[in-house]
Amino acid sequence: LKPAILIVEDESAIADTIAYALKTEGFNPLHLTLGAQAIDCVRSQPFALVILDIGLPDLSGFEVCRQMKTFQDIPVLFLTARNDEVDKIVGLELGGDDYMTKPFSPRELVARVRAILRRSERHRTQPRSRFEHDVAARRIRFCGHLLELTRYEYLLLRTLLAQPDRIYTRAQLMEQVWSDAEESTDRTVDAHIKTVRAKLRAIDPENDPISTHRGVGYSLSLATGQEVT
Ligand code: CA
């Protein structure tokens, strides 16, 4: 599977160069020109990394990064054309992130992308997943046990598993799971979470991987879950 990279850059010549270099090196780039689009996009589909220009037409790259990081810990490679921006970036105390000053060589950029991905891979305390998802067969195993799931239970668990630790609101789950249903309510989501939980608890009564975020929604942890209030 090729790692998906989101490029947020309003200068199409630069974006095209980056996209081409990434594609050649085995990545799967997607290009957007607006910060707001980028935030929505990261919310709805998984990316390994975001390449983020600071001077965007709508929001600054700093603001885009801040908003993205409120819901996902995604690595960011900033692109900047100005020295005063560099000062500001350095002041952010970038954890797994990095920046490049324009103009840059596409090869150098790809090398940085690889380095960031390696670093974030290492830093991610990746617990061995207790789930095995056979996408083709639409089957999920938990701690080695095959789960007997109804259609909507499967779709619900599949959605939560696609982005571990992401907090989904009930509305987001309804949209992803019950998109073809005649009608669904918050209670539909809660009821299905309950039955999925019961099936997981039957296998491991101690560690519920699904967390309830009161007033917000649900998330799933590959390690162990807990009640978050
Ligand atoms: Ca720009």
Side-chain angles (χ1 to χ4, degrees):
L1 198 73
K2 296 177 178 178
I5 311 279
L6 180 61
I7 304 164
V8 194
E9 166 64 77
D10 56 313
E11 288 165 79
S12 57
I14 295 176
D16 290 349
T17 309
I18 297 172
Y20 180 78
L22 288 171
K23 222 178 269 176
T24 311
E25 295 290 322
F27 293 96
N28 178 21
L30 175 73
H31 172 219
L32 295 174
T33 51
L34 293 177
Q37 290 173 335
I39 294 165
D40 284 346
C41 193
V42 164
R43 225 187 265 277
S44 61
Q45 66 187 91
F47 290 95
L49 181 141
V50 180
I51 297 173
L52 186 55
D53 181 34
I54 292 179
L56 295 168
D58 59 341
L59 302 168
S60 85
F62 296 119
E63 179 58 19
V64 174
C65 177
R66 193 191 64 74
Q67 291 198 33
M68 282 178 180
K69 301 259 176 173
T70 61
F71 57 87
Q72 204 183 322
D73 188 18
I74 187 165
V76 172
L77 174 60
F78 287 107
L79 302 180
T80 174
R82 292 177 8 211
N83 281 328
D84 57 328
E85 289 175 347
V86 172
D87 293 344
K88 204 168 165 193
I89 296 170
V90 172
L92 290 178
E93 294 182 29
L94 305 163
D97 305 335
D98 202 352
Y99 70 93
M100 295 201 80
T101 312
K102 294 174 187 176
F104 49 80
S105 92
R107 285 175 68 106
E108 168 70 11
L109 177 123
V110 172
R112 292 284 186 95
V113 166
R114 286 198 196 286
I116 297 169
L117 291 179
R118 268 200 305 273
R119 217 157 43 200
S120 71
E121 198 65 44
R122 222 178 303 134
H123 280 218
R124 206 177 303 147
T125 49
Q126 203 148 47
R128 234 181 83 89
S129 174
R130 296 188 292 160
F131 291 92
E132 297 158 61
H133 184 189
D134 183 342
V135 177
R138 297 169 74 91
R139 280 200 300 221
I140 298 173
R141 286 176 180 275
F142 180 59
C143 300
H145 298 267
L146 181 65
L147 294 167
E148 302 231 357
L149 302 170
T150 65
R151 169 181 159 72
Y152 287 118
E153 285 170 355
Y154 168 75
L155 293 173
L156 177 61
L157 194 50
R158 182 182 74 172
T159 303
L160 292 170
L161 272 173
Q163 287 185 54
D165 299 321
R166 168 179 164 183
I167 301 171
Y168 285 88
T169 64
R170 289 177 177 80
Q172 286 167 339
L173 289 172
M174 275 189 274
E175 196 182 301
Q176 303 248 350
V177 178
W178 284 272
S179 54
D180 63 343
E182 297 263 290
E183 71 177 29
S184 58
T185 66
D186 285 9
R187 284 179 36 207
T188 314
V189 178
D190 293 342
H192 283 78
I193 288 278
K194 199 172 165 184
T195 57
V196 169
R197 266 190 168 139
K199 290 177 182 182
L200 298 174
R201 279 201 183 120
I203 295 166
D204 180 356
E206 300 298 318
N207 299 304
D208 183 353
I210 298 175
S211 298
T212 303
H213 301 266
R214 197 163 295 165
V216 187
Y218 298 100
S219 67
L220 180 140
S221 156
L222 295 180
T224 54
Q226 70 230 335
E227 196 80 16
V228 182
T229 50

